Amino acid sequence: MGCIVNGSGEMADADYSYVGAGPNKISLYRKQVCVEKNIPQEVAVEHLLALIDADKK
């Protein structure tokens, strides 16, 4: 969630956010707190799903 104009402000109400952090890098947020920084894009979806699964417990 987000856009080039509003950036991370768009994610303020999201439970989880997947945010570009640089070329081929992603940062993951839970609510407004960054929980992982600069994850390689290739594994970021797996990290996001693991975060969501861990929070279900």
Side-chain angles (χ1 to χ4, degrees), residues 19 21 37 39:
V19 180
K37 293 182 180 180
I39 304 164

Side-chain angles (χ1 to χ4, degrees), residues 29-52:
Y29 287 77
R30 180 188 296 116
K31 300 288 184 184
Q32 296 178 14
V33 177
C34 184
V35 294
E36 287 193 62
K37 293 182 180 180
N38 299 317
I39 304 164
Q41 182 176 346
E42 298 80 20
V43 297
V45 170
E46 294 170 27
H47 283 239
L48 175 60
L49 294 174
L51 176 63
I52 294 168

Side-chain angles (χ1 to χ4, degrees), residues 1-4 6 9 15-16 20 22-25 28 30 37 42 45-47 51-54 56-57:
M1 207 156 88
C3 73
I4 197 163
N6 296 319
D15 292 330
Y16 301 96
N24 300 313
K25 298 290 183 180
L28 297 178
R30 180 188 296 116
K37 293 182 180 180
E42 298 80 20
V45 170
E46 294 170 27
H47 283 239
L51 176 63
I52 294 168
D53 285 343
K56 288 181 183 177
K57 296 176 183 175

